[in-house]
Amino acid sequence: MRKFDDSAQLLLLAAFAIGFTLVISTIMLNNIIYASNMASESTSDLGNYEISNIAQMTDEATRAAYDHDNKTLSDEYMDSYTTELSRLYASRGYSVSFENSSLSNSYFTENGLSNGNSDWIVVKNVNHTDYFAIDLTNTSKLGNASNAFEVHAINQSGTSIWFMKIYNDTTQINISVNNNTLGELPDPYMMNITGNAINNGDTFGFNFPPTNESYMVKFVNSSNALGIYTITGQLADGSDFDLKRRKVINATMTIASTTNKLNVSIPVTVP
């Protein structure tokens, strides 16, 4: 009986020793992996997170630079931004350069470019809209009635409570709101949606949705239209919103190290 007890105790001690060895081995292995990762990260090039930060900074700087119509001031602002960014990354062995395209007419897509997201939500949870205007500066891209540029107000149930379509039937530019249709639009096709006016003169019953329920404003087939839009109002939480788009510019940031070169192209819409 005593021999059996001694054997059991030896087995218990052996199991404890094996378990202790496994714990120590796991801790050592984790430390090795952690040290390896730290060394790898310290010598690696820019990661996705930092690239995202650069893109965000460039977007904000470009918007700030072109928040007026003075090209000289805009260029000086971007030159200063590029200089500061270069200093920031020079200590890490990176060279930074910046190239700006010229301002161009903006599509009504999400990023303002012709290949941008064509069906997108402009603003959500709207309580009421104070001012909504669309100015079609270029109608050459408008599709026909089956491929019209559309604006929808959609409630929380997903129902379109108001919509407008603008299209080209090869002979004239047409607009329809729900079942209310107007013939040829006068040039330059500026529509004050909330003011029920076209070109600040001719009245037209746009009948934008009332404020008895919250809704979202959505653009559909927006790659078929170029121009300017402005929409202001109040959200369901009581905060104000003010959305404007006048032009789009394609900003390109180049960051190079001894081993890699990265180009970050950022379409920026400016008011």
Side-chain angles (χ1 to χ4, degrees), residues 39-58 81 85-97 253-264:
S40 174
E41 289 175 3
S42 65
T43 58
S44 65
D45 279 340
L46 294 176
N48 291 334
Y49 180 77
E50 196 154 14
I51 294 170
S52 178
N53 282 343
I54 292 172
Q56 181 64 35
M57 287 190 298
T58 302
Y81 167 73
L85 196 67
S86 298
R87 290 174 180 171
L88 177 65
Y89 286 97
S91 60
R92 297 179 52 186
Y94 298 105
S95 63
V96 178
S97 61
M253 183 70 65
T254 301
I255 305 172
S257 68
T258 55
T259 56
N260 289 308
K261 184 176 181 181
L262 173 69
N263 290 323
V264 182

Side-chain angles (χ1 to χ4, degrees), residues 111-201:
N111 66 5
L113 301 180
S114 60
N115 61 353
N117 183 14
S118 186
D119 300 348
W120 64 288
I121 298 169
V122 182
V123 57
K124 295 180 180 179
N125 300 320
V126 178
N127 183 44
H128 66 84
T129 300
D130 297 325
Y131 182 75
F132 184 15
I134 288 177
D135 189 351
L136 295 179
T137 56
N138 188 325
T139 58
S140 63
K141 300 294 183 179
L142 283 176
N144 56 28
S146 62
N147 194 29
F149 166 54
E150 303 177 12
V151 181
H152 288 257
I154 302 172
N155 65 14
Q156 298 296 319
S157 300
T159 302
S160 182
I161 57 178
W162 179 92
F163 68 86
M164 176 180 71
K165 294 184 178 182
I166 306 173
Y167 58 94
N168 188 342
D169 67 1
T170 70
T171 60
Q172 61 186 25
I173 307 300
N174 294 272
I175 181 173
S176 66
V177 178
N178 293 9
N179 295 319
N180 188 7
T181 302
L182 181 71
E184 184 177 5
L185 287 174
D187 192 13
Y189 317 114
M190 193 279 180
M191 291 157 280
N192 182 349
I193 310 300
T194 51
N196 293 318
I198 296 177
N199 295 339
N200 296 317

